[in-house]
Amino acid sequence: MDWFFSWWDGLSALQQVFACAAIPASIILILQTILLLFGMGGHAADHGEIDDHSALMEAGSPEGEADVSGEVSIDADGDADHDLSHQGAGIRLFTVRGLVAFFAVGGWLGIVLTDAGLNTALAIVLSLLGGCAALVLVALIIKWSLSMQEDGNLTLKSAIAQTGSVYITIPPERSGSGKVTLTLQEQFMELEAMTDSETPLPTGTQVQVTGVAGGSTLIVRPIVPVKKCGNENRTLE
């Protein structure tokens, strides 16, 4: 760590202020990127929201039953757990990713500009502008990724015959909906799903998509044996 302290001591007071913003933001940005690569971290984290549908289903609430109203849950760079047409309608500037990008870009830009001998006031203004540009760019990327998902029928129909795994238990015979995770159009997604199976599909069950219901919910079937009560197995026909 000697190199860090040497570098830190070589910074001016203003540069140290910039560094205090840039370093934590950069670490968070790296962690976000790693989490996304492993299919974690998403839209809810951007808005500080909780997936109410998932919580209701896990609690066994009637509201957790099949939802075919047009809502799609997606977990990727777009990460939507709300009505896509609503999310795609405007730009959300102040998201977690946007603010992280603002501090990371603005902070490092401020350090570089002051190190280049630029006037202090001008360096601060340019670093703020750079941070704002990063904020807007992230918002536009999120808006674009959501707009790519607005046509739920087209997107979900392309999932037919794809395989994935159950994320939240799917009730039997379309009595309710759960969630599955799969890779669709090069994005790792979390989507609502129902099944015609006579037995519930527990978390971790490997499934194949056979259709789409209501334009927003996948119909899946197990591709591995599913244990029934009494230690009986029912295999896919």
Side-chain angles (χ1 to χ4, degrees), residues 196-226:
D196 292 319
S197 173
E198 296 177 359
T199 57
L201 306 183
T203 300
T205 301
Q206 296 300 304
V207 295
Q208 182 179 45
V209 180
T210 60
V212 179
S216 63
T217 304
L218 300 178
I219 304 300
V220 300
R221 63 179 180 180
I223 55 178
V224 293
V226 178

Side-chain angles (χ1 to χ4, degrees), residues 121-204:
L122 184 58
I124 293 174
V125 171
L126 291 179
S127 65
L128 289 175
L129 290 176
C132 289
L135 186 72
V136 173
L137 180 61
V138 169
L140 290 174
I141 291 174
I142 293 176
K143 177 179 171 60
W144 172 79
S145 65
L146 290 178
S147 68
M148 294 293 289
Q149 301 296 337
E150 284 183 0
D151 187 351
N153 288 333
L154 177 62
T155 300
L156 295 188
K157 283 181 179 178
S158 65
I160 294 176
Q162 299 295 320
T163 60
S165 62
V166 176
Y167 177 62
I168 295 179
T169 299
I170 304 174
E173 300 178 334
R174 300 197 190 189
S175 60
S177 64
K179 288 189 177 182
V180 297
T181 55
L182 72 165
T183 300
L184 181 61
Q185 296 179 338
E186 299 183 353
Q187 295 185 21
F188 186 80
M189 297 184 176
E190 177 187 307
L191 302 169
E192 298 283 342
M194 295 190 296
T195 184
D196 292 319
S197 173
E198 296 177 359
T199 57
L201 306 183
T203 300

Side-chain angles (χ1 to χ4, degrees), residues 53 63 65-73 81-86 150 152-153 156 177 192 194 212-218:
H53 299 295
E63 294 182 42
E65 295 180 355
D67 179 3
V68 292
S69 61
E71 294 185 344
V72 180
S73 177
D81 207 15
H82 308 282
D83 181 38
L84 292 176
S85 61
H86 171 73
E150 284 183 0
N153 288 333
L156 295 188
S177 64
E192 298 283 342
M194 295 190 296
V212 179
S216 63
T217 304
L218 300 178

Side-chain angles (χ1 to χ4, degrees), residues 21 24-33 35-36 40-50 77-79 91-105 131 134-139 142:
S26 298
I27 294 173
I28 295 173
L29 186 62
I30 293 171
L31 291 176
Q32 283 182 332
T33 303
L35 289 175
L36 284 175
M40 296 177 286
H43 188 71
D46 271 340
H47 301 283
E49 297 169 350
I50 299 174
D77 53 354
D79 322 284
I91 296 178
R92 289 180 177 269
L93 286 177
F94 301 103
T95 63
V96 172
R97 288 191 179 89
L99 292 175
V100 167
F102 172 83
F103 288 111
V105 173
L135 186 72
V136 173
L137 180 61
V138 169
I142 293 176

